[in-house]
Amino acid sequence: MAVQQRKRRLIGTVGSILLLSALATACAGNSPKESASGSSGTGSAKATGQTTAQATEQPIDHAQQAKKKFDPPVTITTAIIQDQLDNAFKPGETIENNVFTKWMKDNMGIELKFDFVVGKQSDYDTKFRLLLASGSKLPDVITGMYTDQLDAGLLMPLNDAIDKYASPNLKKLFAQYPQAFDSVTRDGKIYGIPRFLSADEGGVMWMREDWLKKLNLTAPKTIDELEKVLEAFTKLDPDGDGKPDTYGLAVSLKDGMYTWMASADPIFGAFSDYMAPEFRSIGQWWNPDKDGKLVYSAVDPSAKPFLETMARWKKNGYMDPEAGVKDAMKAIEPAVNGTAGVIFGPNWMGQWPLEDTAKTDPNAVWKAFPIPAGPDGKIGRVVQMTGGAMSFSKDFKHIDAWFAYMNKMYARQFGKDDPYYDPTFDVGFFEGYDYVKYDGKIIKNGFKEKGVPENMWPLASGKEMDMKYALYALNGAFTPTVPYLGDPGYAKFAADPNAQAANAAEERVKNLTKTQLEAGNVRQTQNQADKYNAFGGPLSETMKSKGGLLTKLESEAYLKIIYGDKPVDYFDEFVKEWKASGGEQVTADVNSWYESTKKK
Amino acid sequence: MLYRSPSYKLFTICNYILLGLVSLLCILPVVHVFAVSLSSRAAATANIVNFWPVGWTTDAYAQTLANAHFLRALYIGVERTVLGTAISITLVLLAAYSLSKSDRYFAGRTAYAWFFVIPMLFGGGLIPTYLVVKDTGLLNSIWALVIPGAVNAYLLILMLNFFRTVPVELEEAALIDGAGHFTTLFRIYLPVSMAGIATISLFEMVGHWNSWFDGMIYLKSTNDYPLATFLQSIIAKEDFNLAGIRGEDVANISSRTVKASQIFIGALPIMAVYPFLQKYFVKGIVLGSVKG
Amino acid sequence: MRETGIPTVPAPSVTRTRSGRFVSYCRRTWPLHLLLLPAFLITLTYQYFPMLGAVIAFKDYKPWLGIWGSDWVGLEQFRYLFSFPDIKQIMWNTIVIAVQKQILSIVVPVLFALLLNEVSRAAFKKTVQTLVYLPHFLSWVILGGIFVDVLSVQGGIVNRFIGMFGADPIFFLGSNHWFRPTIILTDIWKEFGFAAIVFLSALTSVNPNLYEASEIDGANRWKQAVHITLPAIMPILVVVSTLALGRILNAGFDQIYNLYNPLVYQTGDIIDTFVYRVGLEGGQFSFGTAVGLLKSIIGFALIVTCYRILYKVADYRIF
């Protein structure tokens, strides 16, 4: 059918030109959304260090700036991905016109306009591609840093603006994590403001506590113990229905050994000092070895015992036999429908999806445990530090207004002492939106359960509103975050759900369920296991031309070994082939970038 | 009643059984998806739904239908489909008529035919097409969805072949009566080719109705999105921005139930229109107008 | 070949000269040109002008430099395509899958149309026809998940069925042996009902008198099917098949993308999925265009060849 054929051709073309895959960005954190021009980013000194050392701009008076209303009002244009619908806005309000856009106009003198609104990241990338190709004006504030735009000289360097306009606390944050700027810096100039993640997504080991109890087992602390538990879950009928319909581990291997749920990264971390390989990008993961050289985790010899273990588990039926064809969303099904008893993933899984298990099996109890240690006592898991960055059109005239806005939004994270802290937002943003005042209490969720009358609910459905589209449109609908800041909250609120939150980060934690909180505590006990990608540079020419081939080799090798199609020793052959097919060159490129960043 | 041999009777029975099984095979997954769309999110995540909803809920549909944009998107989708199909079919019919004449009569016909066929295979791709649409001023309007793709060469060729099956006698009779080409086309060809017209109309309608990508790239605001773009771009989160998936976001992820409901919301209008067109392909049309 | 046209006898004096013939040609055919004009203009503007952009395939396209400003690199992209060690395997996968799909996607709908034609109960006929075209509306995103379940090694319906005959479960989506047949069969299943519509409508143009006449001559249904029904849909069949040749290197990105995984790259990785993954990393726009161009050229060459053969051998122009 020609119409579909054309559609498919379009899709095929777009797909094959995805220069700016957010996936690559996202997984990298320190994103390789980098250029076709082959610059290897040499000499990109630690820019923040540079700016604070040789501040060329004097910071403005923040206390004054915090109160400033821009007069005449400034207009800031942006574009956004709005992918949430039913609880983002009250009826009658839209992303372009809502309580917060009004507030911004009246209080800060900032008028917000949207050049376009799309529904998902790939659409957003396509639109930017088209904007560039047709020579159209870019929005002032851009979610993501598009290297094409950068190469075309269309993005604004931010070193001076940061010096001058970023609040002191924000600057401190930047200085604390300079590696977050690696991927947005070129030749010493910063082009993007990284968006920090909360870093509390490190995996924990979720297990069916009811099964453990039934089979009289204790939670495993090592991989060997885990293996025994997996065996028991597979063979000893933990759900008591007399059928051999259970197994141990629910896991997704299709996209790599690390994925956002049902991951295998803690298992890899038990054997290796490096991060569990994923199959999408050659930029992930690179970690320093003991000599300070960056190593591609997938080809390190420490992967071999991991593969051996996984292959054995697969052969014995301790894990999902179809893990290799399932992505994260599909891989959680066995956990939710009572087939699997162990699954690795972030602490929030306690609510979704794992809570749903109880709906099919009322006896199901999932509990979070620390990840097991390997034969040498190692533990490790993959964590990402940043989720993209915000960049700006070089024609943007009001970067100070954006910073004023950003400083204000961040202030809630930093606490009352921040010069930009706005007391009107003390308990929440807008009454009737993200909170209601009822019976002398501030209530943010669970309106029905807490007895709030229906006419006071923010939304007719009783759900809480997701304010991030209204509040953070100028940050790409991403809540400003400080890594690890909310950690004290986990213990605090697990003990007392009504305790006081010290800042917005803790507030967010306060909203989590008990299971999630407890899991968060478990996660914190092993924060030393967190590993971050050390490579944040642009992709070299070889990485771009050979990357697809190398990741294909990697994905095939790993899955074939785990599935028993090839023996474990095939790993050595794979490494040889990987090196010969461009891996050697890529490693050299990555390390030369790494060396260049070390010069301070 | 004509005689049917016993072997034919046997064949008929087998045929009915076979066709029945095949139909079942086709309808079961559709029933399954429908059941998922009416199931609870938990049941869908656990994947325990078979052919009947588990944890009956209309939440998935409500999420889409209750959305303020939905009605508008629906309207625009209908507008685009009707407009686009009308324009397209008109152009195709006119052109197919001309192309169905013989080479002898209409020299250069084959050149035209190849002219239309070549772009079926060769295209400039996304960016060049976008630039042309922009430069012709169609951006941000419904015309961008309706004009650029108006000439569907595949349908043109189909129609041309349908027109060729019109009996020559009919045409000659008309010409003897003094009819020119326009009259012949409208009075003779069209009425007699309803099967073909119904076929290409159906294809064109389905194509327009399901076409979402062009809406996304050519239109600026989600307010202007036709239904397919609306469903695809906003309702169905197929790819995740893995950066910063956080606990509270996760609970809101479009579950399978929403995606399932989206299929039916999108397909319903076509399925409603279909029976009206079906009669053209399933029952025969008696060409009883020519004798001898 | 259809012979149309007014058997006018033009005045001899007018047609003996070149310009005379031309004038009579215009007088005869100007309505036909006029009828073609709108379609011609739109095709020219929106299909041919963008085609000039295909030159991107020969350039190192940088969007901000524009199409004309980007560097010319000649056949570099094509050389790059063929430099991949897997490329032969990938091409082979593509061709094998695409060819089998094209063949079956003609044969199955035609067979189905013929069988359905034998059904005399209108209600049954209509019902069947409506049911079988429904899978066309399901997207591969949803079907991906469904087929993982249906084909699951652990209790999937298909494997349970196989188990009834005592065979071992088959890991359809993870086995290089079974992946291709799975892809092909599931695609046919999804599309045959919709594809059959074209053939069903062609069948309606068959003159029922022919059936009656042949009955009288003693032909049974089988002979009728072979000598009347099949030839009646032959033109459409030929057209559809030939046009399908143009898509010979399109093995179905959407479907394969949603069903494949590294275990079956060996037999299932096709040109489009491969280019997609390479594109993710390298962001090579020119590369994608070059591959598209290559596919177009090959498809076009096949169509032209087929067209000429049919013309020379059967004096039949498929379009």
Side-chain angles (χ1 to χ4, degrees), chain A residues 4 17-18 282 330 545 552, chain C residues 80 136 149 269 279 281 285:
Chain A
Q4 275 149 302
I17 64 175
L18 271 182
I282 195 70
K330 202 100 182 99
S545 61
K552 183 174 176 180
Chain C
Y80 175 54
H136 171 80
D149 296 332
D269 205 10
E281 278 282 50
F285 184 57

Side-chain angles (χ1 to χ4, degrees), chain B residues 6-106:
Chain B
S7 62
Y8 185 70
K9 287 211 189 93
L10 179 64
F11 162 76
T12 311
I13 297 176
C14 292
N15 197 18
Y16 273 76
I17 295 179
L18 177 68
L19 289 176
L21 280 177
V22 166
S23 306
L24 203 64
L25 211 60
C26 289
I27 193 69
L28 283 180
V30 177
V31 170
H32 166 79
V33 176
F34 190 60
V36 169
S37 73
L38 290 169
S39 299
S40 72
R41 201 193 64 188
T45 314
N47 200 17
I48 53 177
V49 182
N50 286 321
F51 299 111
W52 197 257
V54 174
W56 172 278
T57 171
T58 50
D59 268 0
Y61 287 96
Q63 189 175 332
T64 309
L65 297 175
N67 186 276
H69 291 301
F70 172 75
L71 277 180
R72 183 159 168 77
L74 181 65
Y75 172 74
I76 296 181
V78 170
E79 190 188 355
R80 178 247 168 103
T81 303
V82 168
L83 197 57
T85 306
I87 293 181
S88 206
I89 299 299
T90 310
L91 291 179
V92 165
L93 286 177
L94 297 184
Y97 172 77
S98 298
L99 293 181
S100 69
K101 301 293 170 212
S102 76
D103 281 329
R104 238 184 33 109
Y105 183 79
F106 181 17

Side-chain angles (χ1 to χ4, degrees), chain C:
Chain C
M1 198 53 229
R2 179 189 179 81
E3 287 291 312
T4 60
I6 308 172
T8 48
V9 180
S13 57
V14 176
T15 52
R16 219 173 281 140
T17 63
R18 264 258 200 91
S19 61
R21 265 193 303 235
F22 181 65
V23 168
S24 82
Y25 170 79
C26 287
R27 212 181 301 152
R28 205 172 58 207
T29 61
W30 72 265
L32 300 178
H33 285 280
L34 190 61
L35 289 173
L36 281 168
L37 190 64
F40 179 82
L41 286 176
I42 291 192
T43 307
L44 184 68
T45 316
Y46 293 101
Q47 316 266 37
Y48 277 89
F49 275 132
M51 251 199 250
L52 299 176
V55 76
I56 289 175
F58 302 102
K59 295 198 161 207
D60 183 16
Y61 177 67
K62 305 252 188 290
W64 64 92
L65 295 176
I67 298 179
W68 313 110
S70 299
D71 294 330
W72 179 268
V73 294
L75 296 176
E76 181 55 42
Q77 303 291 352
F78 299 94
R79 242 176 268 138
Y80 175 54
L81 175 67
F82 288 102
S83 74
F84 284 99
D86 294 348
I87 192 64
K88 282 211 200 74
Q89 181 67 42
I90 290 169
M91 288 279 190
W92 180 247
N93 291 343
T94 310
I95 292 176
V96 167
I97 294 178
V99 166
Q100 289 183 55
K101 269 194 191 179
Q102 310 290 22
I103 295 178
L104 284 179
S105 69
I106 309 275
V107 168
V108 173
V110 167
L111 267 178
F112 171 75
L114 291 177
L115 287 178
L116 196 64
N117 197 40
E118 298 299 317
V119 171
S120 51
R121 291 226 179 100
F124 185 77
K125 208 170 178 175
K126 267 191 171 171
T127 313
V128 168
Q129 202 266 312
T130 309
L131 293 181
V132 301
Y133 93 126
L134 288 178
H136 171 80
F137 291 97
L138 301 176
S139 72
W140 278 114
V141 175
I142 289 252
L143 284 175
I146 292 182
F147 279 117
V148 169
D149 296 332
V150 165
L151 300 170
S152 162
V153 257
Q154 276 205 327
I157 299 176
V158 176
N159 274 313
R160 265 194 271 173
F161 186 69
I162 295 178
M164 290 201 289
F165 300 100
D168 285 332
I170 300 177
F171 190 20
F172 291 98
L173 292 175
S175 149
N176 275 309
H177 198 60
W178 288 97
F179 186 69
R180 281 194 208 143
T182 308
I183 289 286
I184 294 166
L185 288 175
T186 49
D187 195 39
I188 301 296
W189 164 85
K190 180 176 188 278
E191 300 293 344
F192 86 92
F194 198 75
I197 293 180
V198 180
F199 300 115
L200 285 171
S201 53
L203 282 178
T204 64
S205 69
V206 176
N207 192 340
N209 296 330
L210 289 173
Y211 287 109
E212 286 165 19
S214 68
E215 288 264 0
I216 293 168
D217 286 346
N220 62 16
R221 282 309 279 191
W222 170 253
K223 281 224 177 70
Q224 285 178 329
V226 170
H227 292 284
I228 302 178
T229 321
L230 209 47
I233 58 176
M234 193 56 81
I236 293 284
L237 215 162
V238 168
V239 173
V240 170
S241 310
T242 309
L243 292 178
L245 279 180
R247 298 194 300 273
I248 201 73
L249 288 182
N250 273 350
F253 172 78
D254 221 4
Q255 176 199 26
I256 296 194
Y257 180 73
N258 279 292
L259 285 177
Y260 84 158
N261 56 77
L263 286 170
V264 294
Y265 278 169
Q266 200 181 320
T267 51
D269 205 10
I270 57 170
I271 295 178
D272 290 333
T273 48
F274 176 71
V275 167
Y276 178 77
R277 290 196 318 272
V278 169
L280 267 188
E281 278 282 50
Q284 291 142 348
F285 184 57
S286 290
F287 179 57
T289 313
V291 172
L293 190 60
L294 185 64
K295 291 200 309 185
S296 299
I297 292 177
I298 294 181
F300 185 67
L302 285 173
I303 289 190
V304 171
T305 313
C306 218
Y307 185 92
R308 298 206 89 102
I309 292 178
L310 280 166
Y311 182 54
K312 289 268 159 34
V313 166
D315 194 28
Y316 180 68
R317 290 195 187 277
I318 45 182
F319 50 73

Side-chain angles (χ1 to χ4, degrees), chain B:
Chain B
M1 192 58 212
L2 297 150
Y3 175 73
R4 295 278 183 247
S5 69
S7 62
Y8 185 70
K9 287 211 189 93
L10 179 64
F11 162 76
T12 311
I13 297 176
C14 292
N15 197 18
Y16 273 76
I17 295 179
L18 177 68
L19 289 176
L21 280 177
V22 166
S23 306
L24 203 64
L25 211 60
C26 289
I27 193 69
L28 283 180
V30 177
V31 170
H32 166 79
V33 176
F34 190 60
V36 169
S37 73
L38 290 169
S39 299
S40 72
R41 201 193 64 188
T45 314
N47 200 17
I48 53 177
V49 182
N50 286 321
F51 299 111
W52 197 257
V54 174
W56 172 278
T57 171
T58 50
D59 268 0
Y61 287 96
Q63 189 175 332
T64 309
L65 297 175
N67 186 276
H69 291 301
F70 172 75
L71 277 180
R72 183 159 168 77
L74 181 65
Y75 172 74
I76 296 181
V78 170
E79 190 188 355
R80 178 247 168 103
T81 303
V82 168
L83 197 57
T85 306
I87 293 181
S88 206
I89 299 299
T90 310
L91 291 179
V92 165
L93 286 177
L94 297 184
Y97 172 77
S98 298
L99 293 181
S100 69
K101 301 293 170 212
S102 76
D103 281 329
R104 238 184 33 109
Y105 183 79
F106 181 17
R109 177 217 77 95
T110 310
Y112 271 114
W114 279 105
F115 178 79
F116 290 115
V117 166
I118 290 177
M120 267 177 76
L121 296 158
F122 293 95
L126 176 64
I127 289 186
T129 313
Y130 179 85
L131 292 176
V132 171
V133 170
K134 178 167 187 268
D135 291 340
T136 48
L138 297 188
L139 221 50
N140 281 325
S141 76
I142 200 169
W143 300 106
L145 309 183
V146 154
I147 304 255
V151 179
N152 184 330
Y154 186 78
L155 299 185
L156 179 58
I157 294 176
L158 280 185
M159 202 61 225
L160 128 73
N161 277 282
F162 277 118
F163 275 161
R164 278 184 185 160
T165 63
V166 172
V168 183
E169 304 81 47
L170 281 180
E171 192 183 352
E172 285 174 357
L175 293 171
I176 288 171
D177 286 345
H181 281 297
F182 296 105
T183 323
T184 316
L185 171 59
F186 289 108
R187 293 270 177 83
I188 312 282
Y189 274 70
L190 292 192
V192 149
S193 312
M194 285 314 281
I197 296 178
T199 308
I200 65 171
S201 300
L202 178 69
F203 288 159
E204 190 66 24
M205 273 195 294
V206 171
H208 267 295
W209 186 254
N210 290 333
S211 171
W212 65 272
F213 190 72
D214 54 357
M216 192 274 293
I217 56 175
Y218 293 129
L219 300 174
K220 177 172 139 162
S221 161
T222 48
N223 279 335
D224 301 330
Y225 278 3
L227 188 65
T229 308
F230 172 78
L231 292 177
Q232 185 72 269
S233 288
I234 297 190
I235 303 284
K237 262 204 236 182
E238 284 169 14
D239 46 28
F240 292 106
N241 183 358
L242 291 183
I245 289 230
R246 330 174 73 172
E248 55 273 29
D249 295 345
V250 162
N252 290 326
I253 285 179
S254 288
S255 78
R256 216 165 285 164
T257 58
V258 174
K259 287 200 214 126
S261 72
Q262 169 201 335
I263 290 192
F264 288 97
I265 295 176
L268 209 60
I270 296 282
M271 297 205 259
V273 171
Y274 185 72
F276 296 100
L277 294 172
Q278 189 186 35
K279 61 177 188 247
Y280 293 109
F281 343 116
V282 179
K283 244 189 323 192
I285 297 191
V286 182
L287 310 171
S289 43
V290 177
K291 285 299 170 203

